Amino acid sequence: MRIAAAAIIAIFAAPVAYAQAPAAPPPVPEIMPFDIPYGQPIGLDLANKAIAAAAAEAKKHNWKMSISVVGPAGYLVAHETLDGTQYASVEISQAKARTAALFRRQTSVFQNGVNTGGTPAQLSLLAVTGGVASEGGFPIVVDGKLIGAIGASGGMSSQDAVTAKAGLDAITVK
């Protein structure tokens, strides 16, 4: 009986005795990522130029897209929906643009984070109302300052990204 009791105690005590100490948390970085300063919000003429270039890219491939441009605060400046685009894409293109503007980074960063397990900061986007973790949203940075963002939706996320990138490239200098 004593041997059986000692064996039971040893079985339950063993995991506690060999438990590893928790890993030290990673150091807190001094530099903030994606710390792009804000500039004067994008104007209607430049927003329409971006949309025209994005729409031309979509038409070249016969993709039905919704394309949106927002200012740095995420508010809609201009929008176009090509004929035959699914209705859901109107809100999604605006949400992609808004996400890229408000978080000052491409929406693909969040898509990659969610799809690969991500960091807690990336995964926390899932709790943000209207945020989108899918390719197709790009911040518009001119002279080193964020002036807005462009988003596209209607196809696969990679098609959305090609469409929005064409609009971005038409108005920014590398």
Side-chain angles (χ1 to χ4, degrees):
M1 178 98 165
R2 288 185 186 171
I3 294 174
I8 291 173
I9 292 171
I11 289 172
F12 287 107
V16 174
Y18 296 107
Q20 295 181 0
V28 176
E30 289 299 320
I31 299 172
M32 291 179 59
F34 305 103
D35 189 19
I36 305 166
Y38 296 108
Q40 184 68 30
I42 190 168
L44 183 59
D45 290 342
L46 196 57
N48 282 331
K49 181 178 177 183
I51 287 175
E57 182 70 22
K59 289 176 185 176
K60 182 171 79 173
H61 299 284
N62 198 31
W63 296 336
K64 298 168 182 150
M65 291 283 167
S66 178
I67 306 153
S68 299
V69 173
V70 300
Y75 294 108
L76 188 63
V77 174
H79 174 86
E80 182 175 334
T81 299
L82 302 180
D83 293 342
T85 303
Q86 64 185 4
Y87 296 124
S89 293
V90 173
E91 283 190 39
I92 296 169
S93 71
Q94 292 177 31
K96 286 182 181 185
R98 185 174 43 256
T99 301
L102 294 177
F103 289 92
R104 300 186 277 193
R105 65 200 79 185
Q106 296 178 26
T107 55
S108 64
V109 170
F110 298 110
Q111 176 178 313
N112 295 339
V114 170
N115 290 345
T116 61
T119 66
Q122 290 168 323
L123 295 176
S124 66
L125 173 69
L126 297 175
V128 175
T129 302
V132 174
S134 178
E135 277 185 281
F138 295 88
I140 300 171
V141 179
V142 174
D143 295 329
K145 295 184 179 178
L146 181 80
I147 65 166
I150 185 168
S153 178
M156 296 172 52
S157 62
S158 58
Q159 294 168 330
D160 297 349
V162 167
T163 301
K165 184 78 165 65
L168 175 67
D169 289 346
I171 62 169
T172 58
V173 178
K174 307 278 177 298

